[in-house]
Amino acid sequence: YERDHGFNRLVFWYVRLFIRLSAVDSLRARGEFDAWLGHNNTLFYRLRVWACGLPQFLPSAMATQILATLNDDAFWTERGQRDLLLSLKARWNEFDDSLRSSLEDRLLKGPPRFKYATSAQNRQWHAYTVLERVMWLLQEGCAFHKPTTKALAKARAAIPAWNDDLASHAADSHEGKSGTVKTDSEFREIEDVPIRDLLNLCISATGRDHEFL
């Protein structure tokens, strides 16, 4: 929905044009990319991160330098997490030892405190962010040189309800979605079910997952 309305519609239109340009004239596409480097705001940070993951577009040294040296706002934003993780995965084995070390430290240390949140909220958000990103990268085959066990155990302790399967959705799209919900008053499938099993049956019958509306 979001990509077809308002300002986002123009951004996605521009991205499609850029992909076409890079396919037919890589030098001009690189010139367009270089123009983004002079703009330090959310839009151009996200465009740069996205472009770092494009196959055979930027030299490895440049792409990895950009990804590893993003400021905190650009690196830890939830809205930009998908593009960041996908680009990190695409470039993971291209980081030199120094950049790889600082990047892994950053991911395992987690984001800075959010000044408008309580201490409890910060602890949970910090732990969730570390688990989500690090576990997703590990699940996608991005091996860490540094030990991860201690940092992940500490994060899990802050979120007892954490399930590692949640990390598989770390790079899911955050675009808005819409749909409809209807009322089903039919109860024949549950009329003979024992009360002790009724709740679990109703929950499983919904067919809803984390993406439901």
Side-chain angles (χ1 to χ4, degrees):
Y1 174 83
E2 286 187 13
R3 67 177 56 202
D4 296 322
H5 294 78
F7 180 70
N8 285 339
R9 178 176 62 86
L10 299 176
V11 174
F12 282 105
W13 172 74
Y14 175 79
V15 165
R16 289 193 295 270
L17 288 180
F18 184 84
I19 292 173
R20 290 168 58 187
L21 177 62
S22 65
V24 299
D25 193 331
S26 59
L27 288 179
R28 288 193 176 183
R30 176 59 187 275
E32 185 72 9
F33 173 87
D34 289 343
W36 302 347
L37 301 177
H39 300 276
N40 293 319
N41 58 47
T42 300
L43 172 60
F44 287 100
Y45 277 130
R46 291 186 62 180
L47 284 172
R48 294 202 290 267
V49 168
W50 165 76
C52 285
L54 292 179
Q56 301 176 335
F57 177 59
L58 292 175
S60 294
M62 183 177 190
T64 54
Q65 178 73 21
I66 289 172
L67 293 172
T69 58
L70 290 167
N71 64 35
D72 281 337
D73 288 340
F75 191 86
W76 294 112
T77 175
E78 183 178 4
R79 294 288 291 182
Q81 178 169 288
R82 171 181 168 81
D83 288 331
L84 176 64
L85 289 177
L86 292 176
S87 290
L88 286 177
K89 176 187 174 182
R91 296 288 187 172
W92 191 256
N93 293 322
E94 300 173 20
F95 286 90
D96 63 31
D97 290 342
S98 177
L99 288 178
R100 169 69 75 85
S101 179
S102 64
L103 176 62
E104 291 185 4
D105 281 340
R106 191 177 195 182
L107 289 163
L108 292 169
K109 182 180 178 181
R113 289 176 55 85
F114 185 59
K115 62 181 179 180
Y116 298 112
T118 66
S119 295
Q121 290 171 332
N122 265 306
R123 279 196 302 273
Q124 289 198 342
W125 174 65
H126 179 278
Y128 189 90
T129 303
V130 169
L131 285 166
E132 188 178 42
R133 295 189 178 202
V134 174
M135 288 300 303
W136 185 89
L137 288 167
L138 292 173
Q139 290 171 3
E140 292 296 315
C142 301
F144 278 59
H145 292 170
K146 294 179 178 291
T148 62
T149 304
K150 184 176 180 180
L152 294 178
K154 181 179 179 181
R156 287 190 182 99
I159 314 178
W162 171 262
N163 183 322
D164 285 350
D165 289 340
L166 294 173
S168 64
H169 303 294
D172 286 358
S173 173
H174 286 179
E175 289 184 60
K177 299 179 180 179
S178 62
T180 59
V181 178
K182 67 178 181 178
T183 300
D184 185 354
S185 59
E186 178 58 58
F187 61 89
R188 281 180 297 181
E189 293 183 6
I190 64 173
E191 61 182 345
D192 296 324
V193 176
I195 292 178
R196 65 178 180 275
D197 300 325
L198 189 58
L199 183 58
N200 286 335
L201 178 63
C202 290
I203 292 174
S204 63
T206 64
R208 298 176 183 177
D209 60 16
H210 74 286
E211 294 184 335
F212 178 76
L213 292 187

